[in-house]
Amino acid sequence: MNRPPTDITRRRALRAIGGVGAASLSGCLSPISRSDRCPGSNEGTLDLDDATATGVSNEFSRPLDMLPHATRVPVADALETETGEATARGYYRPDPRTEFVVAGPGPDYYRLRVTEHDRMQTTGYEYVVEIDVDDSALPGGGPVRSVAEVPAHDRESLRGAIGNPGLLHAPHYTSFSVVFAYEDADARDRSAFVPEADARYLEWDGVPIRVIFEERRPVEIASATVRTERVATSPDEFRAHVGERRGVVLDSLSADQRDVVDRAIDGTYAECEPYSEPFGALRDRLSTGGDEAAPLVRYDGDWYFCHLS
């Protein structure tokens, strides 16, 4: 924190002797370590943890390389275009599961938006992929084909299904499902899995796998357009951007409210219902509707992660 040490020391000393805020907080304030601190009533707590630029980056964005394959490819394509847009089509489509992506070497931070359109139904062929098959179980104990030997669109379906090929080497990741679905007649004709085929034994990134037909079912193919917008060129700029969009600035506080905030920074501030006026007013300022609270708080020039319950 950037506040003068003498100010912090003075506030803590006043709290210790029942000074600032101690007499005026009318809610049932109990020591945080007591299990029966609010018997018969609800407890409210406030935690404010230091939000470094790196911490905010990790919390609200994902590196481009960490996105699932079906998302990473069109996002990377969009970042290479002047318009910041790219479109992909297929059964496996972009699903960022994050609002922001960070890409080097800046690093630069981008907001992502995905719009689906031109949907159509077709037949999909679902297979179960068993990972790390024992060589002794392979037909005749002979070698298996490399995944590189199957058609490129089949490889894309396999990558889209697993998301992160590194999972092939995860000790407890033993199987996943993949759907091969193509609207193009030529792609269907050249597929190694459409229509359904017997079990296929392949080697993928040094790992033997078995691909077994499961079922044929209707599926949807659609186009998805990815739009990227650069919002920051450094972690500090990104923290300010997220704070401006989703954060709350705690200013113009009374002495009692500042005491509550300072205690929440030092540890966990807790009150039993009915809440005191200072704590109740702070809860109203930090709430964004329902049980949600602003994820970031700016107080005395510093950023904090907000945990309100």
Side-chain angles (χ1 to χ4, degrees), residues 14-79:
L14 287 169
R15 285 202 298 269
I17 63 175
V20 176
S24 58
L25 298 183
S26 59
C28 174
L29 178 60
S30 303
I32 195 64
S33 59
R34 287 179 53 191
S35 59
D36 60 343
R37 54 197 171 194
C38 291
S41 64
N42 293 326
E43 179 185 70
T45 64
L46 174 63
D47 289 274
L48 296 175
D49 300 323
D50 185 32
T52 64
T54 300
V56 173
S57 179
N58 293 338
E59 180 71 19
F60 293 99
S61 71
R62 293 187 66 185
L64 176 63
D65 291 344
M66 296 298 292
L67 297 179
H69 178 79
T71 302
R72 182 174 65 254
V73 172
V75 171
D77 289 344
L79 295 178

Side-chain angles (χ1 to χ4, degrees), residues 5-288:
T6 54
D7 189 40
I8 296 176
T9 303
R10 185 171 60 254
R11 281 197 296 269
R12 290 177 178 172
L14 287 169
R15 285 202 298 269
I17 63 175
V20 176
S24 58
L25 298 183
S26 59
C28 174
L29 178 60
S30 303
I32 195 64
S33 59
R34 287 179 53 191
S35 59
D36 60 343
R37 54 197 171 194
C38 291
S41 64
N42 293 326
E43 179 185 70
T45 64
L46 174 63
D47 289 274
L48 296 175
D49 300 323
D50 185 32
T52 64
T54 300
V56 173
S57 179
N58 293 338
E59 180 71 19
F60 293 99
S61 71
R62 293 187 66 185
L64 176 63
D65 291 344
M66 296 298 292
L67 297 179
H69 178 79
T71 302
R72 182 174 65 254
V73 172
V75 171
D77 289 344
L79 295 178
E80 292 294 326
T81 67
E82 292 184 1
T83 62
E85 296 184 7
T87 297
R89 184 168 180 80
Y91 175 78
Y92 293 102
R93 302 185 290 278
D95 183 14
R97 300 183 183 180
T98 180
E99 185 179 2
F100 302 100
V101 64
V102 56
D108 292 330
Y109 292 82
Y110 299 85
R111 182 186 177 204
L112 300 182
R113 290 175 293 167
V114 177
T115 305
E116 289 193 2
H117 49 93
D118 300 331
R119 296 177 178 86
M120 67 158 291
Q121 278 205 336
T122 188
T123 300
Y125 299 82
E126 184 171 358
Y127 285 72
V128 173
V129 180
E130 296 179 347
I131 299 174
D132 201 16
V133 179
D134 190 343
D135 287 346
S136 64
L138 303 178
V144 297
R145 296 173 61 194
S146 169
V147 165
E149 297 178 48
V150 304
H153 54 292
D154 286 342
R155 295 199 301 270
E156 283 298 293
S157 293
L158 284 165
R159 294 188 184 109
I162 197 171
N164 177 9
L167 292 173
L168 290 168
H169 301 278
H172 303 297
Y173 199 82
T174 59
S175 67
F176 65 96
S177 294
V178 56
V179 173
F180 300 96
Y182 311 114
E183 59 183 328
D184 180 74
D186 181 62
R188 289 195 302 269
D189 292 341
R190 291 186 295 108
S191 172
F193 305 97
V194 178
E196 63 265 26
D198 294 333
R200 293 284 190 264
Y201 296 86
L202 304 171
E203 183 182 68
W204 188 1
D205 197 18
V207 177
I209 64 174
R210 179 166 58 179
V211 188
I212 308 167
F213 175 71
E214 180 75 10
E215 67 171 336
R216 178 196 307 210
R217 59 184 174 86
V219 297
E220 187 177 75
I221 288 177
S223 295
T225 298
V226 175
R227 295 177 175 84
T228 61
E229 175 191 4
R230 187 166 61 182
V231 297
T233 58
S234 71
D236 284 330
E237 283 188 10
F238 180 67
R239 179 175 59 179
H241 176 78
V242 175
E244 182 179 348
R245 286 170 51 88
R246 302 184 59 186
V248 170
V249 177
L250 289 180
D251 55 8
S252 302
L253 300 181
S254 67
D256 290 338
Q257 289 174 328
R258 292 183 67 88
D259 184 60
V260 171
V261 173
D262 290 336
R263 294 194 194 192
I265 294 172
D266 289 341
T268 298
Y269 180 86
E271 275 192 19
C272 302
E273 289 186 327
Y275 302 135
S276 65
E277 190 282 328
F279 187 47
L282 281 172
R283 292 180 66 88
D284 289 342
R285 288 185 64 171
L286 295 173
S287 298
T288 58

